[in-house]
Amino acid sequence: EFRRVLFRSLLIAVAEAFAAAGWAVYRGDLPYRQLRPTGPPLRDQARDRAGIRAAIDFLAARSSQVYVGGHSYGGRQSSMLAAENPSGIQGLLLLSYPLHPPRKPVESRTAHFPTLRVPALFVHGTRDPFGSPDEMTAALALIPGKTQLALQPGLGHELHPRIAEDLPALLA
């Protein structure tokens, strides 16, 4: 429960930081989270990407500057969607991208990276068990689009809401 509250606090802090910097912000739950409030993602990743696409299409009809992202699984699904169909996406904000399951580095989650062409900011804790800083650096080299890695010293997969205030300047 504590981790879920910390993740939610992080996403709220990120939304508030961008809003305070003058960005229009939409924060929503993925379809799997709408179906069940707790627990890991369901196996229907296509449905979750369709939910992200619906939000992008809604926002793109109202703004020419749409950035998409999320924490962990949400960021992974956003990046997969951007690789499949980047229409309407100007960039990605990926918090704690899960390169692989903890202690299973051979189960890489980067197959779509070579087709990812939209700019992407990866924010990653140096103690994240889903990918070390060296693994993140190597993975980002697979991406042909512009990438930036903002390492957060001493933080794990949860990150911390205090990092939010610096993010708008990194995407500007």
Side-chain angles (χ1 to χ4, degrees), residues 104-120:
K104 297 181 182 177
V106 295
E107 294 181 30
S108 176
R109 297 172 173 158
T110 60
H112 66 287
F113 277 17
T115 58
L116 189 55
R117 296 198 177 341
V118 299

PDB file of all heavy atoms in Angstrom, residues 104-120:
ATOM      1  N   LYS A 104      16.404 -10.171 -13.324  1.00  0.00           N
ATOM      2  CA  LYS A 104      16.246 -10.948 -14.557  1.00  0.00           C
ATOM      3  C   LYS A 104      16.655 -10.100 -15.769  1.00  0.00           C
ATOM      4  O   LYS A 104      15.851  -9.831 -16.657  1.00  0.00           O
ATOM      5  CB  LYS A 104      14.798 -11.414 -14.712  1.00  0.00           C
ATOM      6  CG  LYS A 104      14.337 -12.350 -13.611  1.00  0.00           C
ATOM      7  CD  LYS A 104      12.916 -12.783 -13.825  1.00  0.00           C
ATOM      8  CE  LYS A 104      12.460 -13.683 -12.697  1.00  0.00           C
ATOM      9  NZ  LYS A 104      11.048 -14.063 -12.848  1.00  0.00           N
ATOM     10  N   PRO A 105      17.916  -9.678 -15.831  1.00  0.00           N
ATOM     11  CA  PRO A 105      18.327  -8.778 -16.912  1.00  0.00           C
ATOM     12  C   PRO A 105      18.239  -9.371 -18.307  1.00  0.00           C
ATOM     13  O   PRO A 105      18.210  -8.625 -19.282  1.00  0.00           O
ATOM     14  CB  PRO A 105      19.777  -8.426 -16.547  1.00  0.00           C
ATOM     15  CG  PRO A 105      20.218  -9.496 -15.624  1.00  0.00           C
ATOM     16  CD  PRO A 105      18.995  -9.979 -14.904  1.00  0.00           C
ATOM     17  N   VAL A 106      18.137 -10.673 -18.427  1.00  0.00           N
ATOM     18  CA  VAL A 106      18.026 -11.274 -19.759  1.00  0.00           C
ATOM     19  C   VAL A 106      16.621 -11.111 -20.338  1.00  0.00           C
ATOM     20  O   VAL A 106      16.429 -11.292 -21.538  1.00  0.00           O
ATOM     21  CB  VAL A 106      18.428 -12.772 -19.761  1.00  0.00           C
ATOM     22  CG1 VAL A 106      19.904 -12.926 -19.418  1.00  0.00           C
ATOM     23  CG2 VAL A 106      17.570 -13.572 -18.832  1.00  0.00           C
ATOM     24  N   GLU A 107      15.636 -10.754 -19.505  1.00  0.00           N
ATOM     25  CA  GLU A 107      14.264 -10.542 -19.975  1.00  0.00           C
ATOM     26  C   GLU A 107      14.063  -9.071 -20.334  1.00  0.00           C
ATOM     27  O   GLU A 107      13.255  -8.364 -19.740  1.00  0.00           O
ATOM     28  CB  GLU A 107      13.262 -10.993 -18.906  1.00  0.00           C
ATOM     29  CG  GLU A 107      13.286 -12.481 -18.650  1.00  0.00           C
ATOM     30  CD  GLU A 107      12.265 -12.921 -17.613  1.00  0.00           C
ATOM     31  OE1 GLU A 107      11.201 -12.283 -17.495  1.00  0.00           O
ATOM     32  OE2 GLU A 107      12.549 -13.911 -16.914  1.00  0.00           O
ATOM     33  N   SER A 108      14.790  -8.628 -21.339  1.00  0.00           N
ATOM     34  CA  SER A 108      14.791  -7.232 -21.754  1.00  0.00           C
ATOM     35  C   SER A 108      13.435  -6.777 -22.293  1.00  0.00           C
ATOM     36  O   SER A 108      12.742  -7.529 -22.976  1.00  0.00           O
ATOM     37  CB  SER A 108      15.854  -7.039 -22.842  1.00  0.00           C
ATOM     38  OG  SER A 108      15.817  -5.729 -23.321  1.00  0.00           O
ATOM     39  N   ARG A 109      13.089  -5.539 -21.977  1.00  0.00           N
ATOM     40  CA  ARG A 109      11.844  -4.928 -22.454  1.00  0.00           C
ATOM     41  C   ARG A 109      12.166  -3.750 -23.385  1.00  0.00           C
ATOM     42  O   ARG A 109      11.600  -2.670 -23.266  1.00  0.00           O
ATOM     43  CB  ARG A 109      11.013  -4.470 -21.267  1.00  0.00           C
ATOM     44  CG  ARG A 109      10.574  -5.611 -20.373  1.00  0.00           C
ATOM     45  CD  ARG A 109       9.926  -5.113 -19.133  1.00  0.00           C
ATOM     46  NE  ARG A 109       9.363  -6.195 -18.345  1.00  0.00           N
ATOM     47  CZ  ARG A 109       9.113  -6.104 -17.040  1.00  0.00           C
ATOM     48  NH1 ARG A 109       9.375  -4.986 -16.395  1.00  0.00           N
ATOM     49  NH2 ARG A 109       8.590  -7.114 -16.396  1.00  0.00           N
ATOM     50  N   THR A 110      13.067  -4.001 -24.311  1.00  0.00           N
ATOM     51  CA  THR A 110      13.529  -2.934 -25.199  1.00  0.00           C
ATOM     52  C   THR A 110      13.368  -3.262 -26.676  1.00  0.00           C
ATOM     53  O   THR A 110      13.927  -2.560 -27.518  1.00  0.00           O
ATOM     54  CB  THR A 110      15.017  -2.622 -24.927  1.00  0.00           C
ATOM     55  OG1 THR A 110      15.779  -3.819 -25.159  1.00  0.00           O
ATOM     56  CG2 THR A 110      15.241  -2.139 -23.500  1.00  0.00           C
ATOM     57  N   ALA A 111      12.611  -4.288 -27.029  1.00  0.00           N
ATOM     58  CA  ALA A 111      12.494  -4.696 -28.437  1.00  0.00           C
ATOM     59  C   ALA A 111      12.021  -3.551 -29.323  1.00  0.00           C
ATOM     60  O   ALA A 111      12.407  -3.465 -30.491  1.00  0.00           O
ATOM     61  CB  ALA A 111      11.563  -5.893 -28.568  1.00  0.00           C
ATOM     62  N   HIS A 112      11.211  -2.657 -28.785  1.00  0.00           N
ATOM     63  CA  HIS A 112      10.681  -1.554 -29.591  1.00  0.00           C
ATOM     64  C   HIS A 112      11.619  -0.345 -29.649  1.00  0.00           C
ATOM     65  O   HIS A 112      11.384   0.579 -30.429  1.00  0.00           O
ATOM     66  CB  HIS A 112       9.310  -1.123 -29.044  1.00  0.00           C
ATOM     67  CG  HIS A 112       9.374  -0.529 -27.670  1.00  0.00           C
ATOM     68  ND1 HIS A 112       9.593  -1.292 -26.542  1.00  0.00           N
ATOM     69  CD2 HIS A 112       9.252   0.750 -27.246  1.00  0.00           C
ATOM     70  CE1 HIS A 112       9.600  -0.504 -25.480  1.00  0.00           C
ATOM     71  NE2 HIS A 112       9.394   0.731 -25.878  1.00  0.00           N
ATOM     72  N   PHE A 113      12.658  -0.315 -28.866  1.00  0.00           N
ATOM     73  CA  PHE A 113      13.549   0.854 -28.825  1.00  0.00           C
ATOM     74  C   PHE A 113      14.120   1.239 -30.194  1.00  0.00           C
ATOM     75  O   PHE A 113      14.196   2.424 -30.512  1.00  0.00           O
ATOM     76  CB  PHE A 113      14.669   0.638 -27.810  1.00  0.00           C
ATOM     77  CG  PHE A 113      14.300   0.955 -26.384  1.00  0.00           C
ATOM     78  CD1 PHE A 113      12.977   1.077 -25.974  1.00  0.00           C
ATOM     79  CD2 PHE A 113      15.276   1.119 -25.425  1.00  0.00           C
ATOM     80  CE1 PHE A 113      12.640   1.368 -24.662  1.00  0.00           C
ATOM     81  CE2 PHE A 113      14.960   1.421 -24.105  1.00  0.00           C
ATOM     82  CZ  PHE A 113      13.642   1.544 -23.727  1.00  0.00           C
ATOM     83  N   PRO A 114      14.543   0.298 -31.052  1.00  0.00           N
ATOM     84  CA  PRO A 114      15.110   0.705 -32.352  1.00  0.00           C
ATOM     85  C   PRO A 114      14.122   1.424 -33.275  1.00  0.00           C
ATOM     86  O   PRO A 114      14.540   2.051 -34.248  1.00  0.00           O
ATOM     87  CB  PRO A 114      15.563  -0.622 -32.970  1.00  0.00           C
ATOM     88  CG  PRO A 114      15.841  -1.500 -31.795  1.00  0.00           C
ATOM     89  CD  PRO A 114      14.769  -1.131 -30.800  1.00  0.00           C
ATOM     90  N   THR A 115      12.826   1.367 -32.976  1.00  0.00           N
ATOM     91  CA  THR A 115      11.844   2.083 -33.812  1.00  0.00           C
ATOM     92  C   THR A 115      11.276   3.323 -33.118  1.00  0.00           C
ATOM     93  O   THR A 115      10.371   3.961 -33.658  1.00  0.00           O
ATOM     94  CB  THR A 115      10.685   1.147 -34.216  1.00  0.00           C
ATOM     95  OG1 THR A 115      10.063   0.625 -33.037  1.00  0.00           O
ATOM     96  CG2 THR A 115      11.182   0.001 -35.084  1.00  0.00           C
ATOM     97  N   LEU A 116      11.821   3.664 -31.961  1.00  0.00           N
ATOM     98  CA  LEU A 116      11.347   4.815 -31.203  1.00  0.00           C
ATOM     99  C   LEU A 116      12.072   6.067 -31.694  1.00  0.00           C
ATOM    100  O   LEU A 116      13.280   6.195 -31.542  1.00  0.00           O
ATOM    101  CB  LEU A 116      11.607   4.583 -29.713  1.00  0.00           C
ATOM    102  CG  LEU A 116      11.009   5.543 -28.721  1.00  0.00           C
ATOM    103  CD1 LEU A 116       9.503   5.654 -28.891  1.00  0.00           C
ATOM    104  CD2 LEU A 116      11.348   5.089 -27.310  1.00  0.00           C
ATOM    105  N   ARG A 117      11.316   6.989 -32.284  1.00  0.00           N
ATOM    106  CA  ARG A 117      11.927   8.160 -32.898  1.00  0.00           C
ATOM    107  C   ARG A 117      11.532   9.490 -32.239  1.00  0.00           C
ATOM    108  O   ARG A 117      12.111  10.505 -32.535  1.00  0.00           O
ATOM    109  CB  ARG A 117      11.573   8.206 -34.381  1.00  0.00           C
ATOM    110  CG  ARG A 117      12.158   6.994 -35.117  1.00  0.00           C
ATOM    111  CD  ARG A 117      12.239   7.173 -36.594  1.00  0.00           C
ATOM    112  NE  ARG A 117      12.827   6.151 -37.415  1.00  0.00           N
ATOM    113  CZ  ARG A 117      13.624   5.157 -37.133  1.00  0.00           C
ATOM    114  NH1 ARG A 117      13.995   4.941 -35.930  1.00  0.00           N
ATOM    115  NH2 ARG A 117      14.077   4.316 -38.028  1.00  0.00           N
ATOM    116  N   VAL A 118      10.552   9.476 -31.350  1.00  0.00           N
ATOM    117  CA  VAL A 118      10.174  10.725 -30.680  1.00  0.00           C
ATOM    118  C   VAL A 118      11.156  10.986 -29.543  1.00  0.00           C
ATOM    119  O   VAL A 118      11.703  10.052 -28.955  1.00  0.00           O
ATOM    120  CB  VAL A 118       8.719  10.695 -30.153  1.00  0.00           C
ATOM    121  CG1 VAL A 118       7.734  10.496 -31.286  1.00  0.00           C
ATOM    122  CG2 VAL A 118       8.534   9.640 -29.101  1.00  0.00           C
ATOM    123  N   PRO A 119      11.410  12.257 -29.234  1.00  0.00           N
ATOM    124  CA  PRO A 119      12.316  12.563 -28.118  1.00  0.00           C
ATOM    125  C   PRO A 119      11.790  11.956 -26.812  1.00  0.00           C
ATOM    126  O   PRO A 119      10.586  11.926 -26.566  1.00  0.00           O
ATOM    127  CB  PRO A 119      12.292  14.092 -28.045  1.00  0.00           C
ATOM    128  CG  PRO A 119      11.841  14.533 -29.396  1.00  0.00           C
ATOM    129  CD  PRO A 119      10.919  13.468 -29.898  1.00  0.00           C
ATOM    130  N   ALA A 120      12.716  11.458 -25.995  1.00  0.00           N
ATOM    131  CA  ALA A 120      12.314  10.798 -24.755  1.00  0.00           C
ATOM    132  C   ALA A 120      13.232  11.190 -23.606  1.00  0.00           C
ATOM    133  O   ALA A 120      14.455  11.131 -23.731  1.00  0.00           O
ATOM    134  CB  ALA A 120      12.323   9.276 -24.937  1.00  0.00           C
TER     135      ALA A 120
END
